[in-house]
């Protein structure tokens, strides 16, 4: 297992504390710089895995220096060691602990946690099987997977994680089929830069008779959704200049291809069937972390409810249907980027976006599982932070 080395890499990526939208942020008022001994790896792989650092007029497209592919492989190979040497040996500041979802006044449900997670695990396993059957080049990643017998636990509960990707025509960068006995069922899908298919996050926590459900079909281009005001309006060119038109175009592209009435109706109708629902902070609400704001999609569902058999059945049904929609998009050739600038731009965006998603996930898992276990689980669930490139970005 290479969990410890991935944790070291993840800690390094989080150690720079900036305020631009595509830099992973930590907590606390201090920051520290990290000096990396970079070089081009064999075969020139650093050109693909580590594009040159540059600053764009839009900070969301800026990209900072990162380890080369060759250096990264050395880290992966040296289990239990840290291959990247920082100029400042002091530990990185701990990430902020995310506040647990608010608890509704409705009492806990009639279903026990073990049975609920077991049902979700069975459903999720079938979903991943359907994806594998439809995407022939999807391949398992055994060095990043964990069986329950491997002894990986959080809060004393066994963890299983089946990781896979599809570096071929389907261009799927990362699939994590994650389950924690009696506590968590999570499906994460990141797509590579050769398509505009949305990422998918589908996650359920169970604790104290309550079910916390998060579902997000995440756009592949920044649309300034985090800047939307309470009336649903977005800043225009008088505030953002020419970027306002770029962001507006990204929103329209997402709405016309993916965030359609079919998806919106499915989400609304399914949530309406749930009992005792309390909505957790969303875009535009106080209490939502900065990394959540810049990574969350406009249609994200984030709710808490009693753990009843009816609620569990409804949530399972919704998760299966949305995953099926994602599979339809992923196997539709019309969503493939043509070679050239769009692919390169998508690669740069995806690389920084995935790092920010890790930061947001880290806060979430630490909030539910505590600092040490949350860190372990976030590192495992996120996978390699430089592999959003799958399929080649240059």
């Amino acid at each position: 297992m290479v969990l410890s080395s991935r944790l070291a890499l993840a800690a390094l990526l989080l150690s720079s504390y900036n305020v631009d939208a595509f830099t992973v942020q930590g907590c606390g008022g201090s920051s520290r710089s990290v000096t990396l001994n970079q070089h081009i790896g064999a075969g020139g792989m650093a050109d693909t895995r580590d594009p040159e650092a540059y600053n764009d007029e839009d900070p969301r497209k800026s990209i900072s220096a990162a380890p080369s592919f060759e250096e990264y492989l050395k880290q992966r190979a040296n289990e239990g060691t840290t291959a990247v040497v920082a100029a400042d040996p002091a530990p990185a500041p701990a990430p902020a602990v995310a506040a647990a979802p608010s608890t509704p006044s409705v009492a806990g449900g009639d279903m026990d946690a073990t049975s609920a997670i077991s049902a979700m695990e069975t459903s999720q396993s079938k979903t991943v099987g359907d994806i594998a059957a439809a995407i022939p080049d999807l391949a398992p990643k055994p060095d990043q997977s964990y069986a329950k017998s491997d002894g990986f636990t959080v809060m004393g509960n066994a963890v299983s994680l089946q990781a896979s990707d599809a570096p071929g025509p389907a261009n799927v960068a990362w699939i994590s089929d994650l389950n924690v006995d009696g506590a968590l069922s999570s499906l994460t899908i990141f797509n590579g830069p050769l398509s505009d298919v949305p990422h998918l996050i589908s996650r359920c926590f169970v604790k104290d008779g309550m079910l916390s459900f998060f579902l997000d079909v995440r756009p592949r281009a920044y649309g300034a959704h985090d800047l939307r005001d309470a009336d649903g309006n977005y800043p225009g060119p008088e505030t953002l200049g020419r970027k306002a038109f770029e962001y507006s175009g990204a929103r329209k592209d997402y709405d016309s291809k993916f965030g359609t009435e079919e998806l919106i109706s499915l989400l609304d109708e399914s949530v309406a069937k749930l009992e005792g629902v309390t909505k957790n902070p969303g875009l535009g609400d106080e209490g939502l972390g900065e990394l959540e704001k810049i990574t969350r999609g406009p249609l994200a569902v984030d709710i808490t409810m009693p753990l009843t058999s009816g609620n569990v059945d409804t949530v399972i049904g919704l998760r299966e249907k949305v995953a099926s929609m994602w599979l339809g998009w992923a196997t539709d050739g019309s969503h493939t980027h043509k070679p050239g600038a769009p692919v390169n731009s998508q690669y740069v965006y995806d690389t920084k976006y995935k790092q920010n998603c890790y930061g947001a996930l880290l806060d979430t898992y630490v909030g539910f599982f505590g600092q040490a276990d949350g860190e372990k689980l976030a590192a495992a669930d996120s996978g390699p932070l430089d592999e959003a490139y799958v399929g080649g970005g240059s």
Side-chain angles (χ1 to χ4, degrees):
M1 298 306 167
V2 294
L3 182 59
S4 59
S5 58
R6 277 185 279 146
L7 277 170
L9 177 59
L12 174 63
L13 290 168
L14 287 177
S15 62
S16 296
Y17 182 63
N18 299 311
V19 295
D20 60 89
F22 287 91
T23 300
V24 178
Q25 302 177 14
C27 73
S30 63
S31 64
R32 64 190 184 101
S33 61
V34 177
T35 301
L36 299 173
N37 182 21
Q38 293 188 314
H39 60 278
I40 301 300
M45 286 304 291
D47 294 335
T48 339
R49 307 281 298 238
D50 182 21
E52 292 184 2
Y54 74 95
N55 291 319
D56 192 271
E57 62 175 342
D58 177 5
R60 297 174 178 85
K61 291 185 178 179
S62 296
I63 184 166
S64 56
S68 69
F69 176 58
E70 190 174 68
E71 191 66 26
Y72 172 71
L73 287 182
K74 290 179 182 178
Q75 296 174 48
R76 292 272 299 274
N78 296 332
E79 181 176 2
T81 65
T82 301
V84 179
V85 180
D88 179 3
V97 177
S102 55
T103 303
S105 58
V106 181
D110 58 8
M111 194 170 191
D112 67 276
T114 300
S115 298
I117 293 299
S118 178
M120 294 175 190
E121 183 175 0
T122 299
S123 167
Q124 188 165 290
S125 178
K126 178 182 181 301
T127 292
V128 174
D130 291 342
I131 292 172
I135 301 179
D137 56 319
L138 191 72
K141 304 188 76 169
D143 60 328
Q144 311 226 321
S145 298
Y146 301 87
K148 291 183 180 180
S149 58
D150 289 335
F152 181 13
T153 64
V154 295
M155 298 181 70
N157 299 314
V159 174
S160 67
L161 192 159
Q162 300 304 314
S164 55
D165 67 1
N171 203 226
V172 179
W174 174 253
I175 294 182
S176 171
D177 172 10
L178 170 67
N179 293 280
V180 178
D181 282 352
L184 173 68
S185 172
S186 176
L187 175 64
T188 299
I189 304 177
F190 283 103
N191 299 283
L194 302 185
S195 79
D196 61 1
V197 176
H199 304 308
L200 176 62
I201 311 295
S202 177
R203 184 169 63 231
C204 293
F205 287 104
V206 171
K207 187 176 182 180
D208 298 331
M210 303 301 294
L211 167 62
S212 295
F213 174 47
F214 182 83
L215 179 68
D216 198 3
V217 178
R218 297 186 159 178
R220 298 296 301 284
Y222 181 70
H225 292 104
D226 56 311
L227 303 180
R228 182 177 58 191
D229 64 23
D231 297 322
N233 300 315
Y234 295 89
E238 68 283 354
T239 302
L240 299 176
R242 291 176 299 173
K243 291 296 180 182
F245 300 105
E246 177 184 331
Y247 302 153
S248 175
R251 293 193 298 270
K252 291 178 180 177
D253 188 63
Y254 173 81
D255 292 344
S256 63
K257 294 180 180 179
F258 311 110
T260 61
E261 187 60 37
E262 178 186 7
L263 176 58
I264 294 172
S265 296
L266 173 62
L267 297 176
D268 289 345
E269 292 170 4
S270 298
V271 171
K273 295 177 182 177
L274 299 170
E275 301 176 347
V277 168
T278 294
K279 292 184 178 179
N280 298 315
L283 289 174
D285 296 333
E286 294 291 334
L288 191 66
E290 289 301 315
L291 290 175
E292 280 289 346
K293 290 179 183 177
I294 61 176
T295 56
R296 187 170 291 201
L299 301 180
V301 175
D302 190 358
I303 54 180
T304 301
M305 70 204 83
L307 185 63
T308 67
S309 56
N311 282 346
V312 169
D313 288 344
T314 299
V315 166
I316 287 176
L318 177 56
R319 297 178 78 197
E320 290 177 346
K321 290 174 182 176
V322 173
S324 178
M325 294 179 74
W326 175 88
L327 182 57
W329 298 327
T331 54
D332 183 346
S334 68
H335 297 304
T336 301
H337 281 312
K338 295 180 180 180
V343 176
N344 295 331
S345 298
Q346 190 70 64
Y347 162 56
V348 172
Y349 181 92
D350 285 353
T351 300
K352 301 305 293 184
Y353 181 84
K354 194 177 181 191
Q355 293 174 9
N356 284 333
C357 287
Y358 165 76
L361 183 67
L362 178 61
D363 285 349
T364 297
Y365 280 174
V366 167
F368 274 90
F369 296 112
Q371 190 69 42
D373 284 344
E375 288 179 358
K376 290 193 304 181
L377 199 61
D381 196 12
S382 296
L385 296 182
D386 63 344
E387 290 195 3
Y389 84 102
V390 169
S394 60

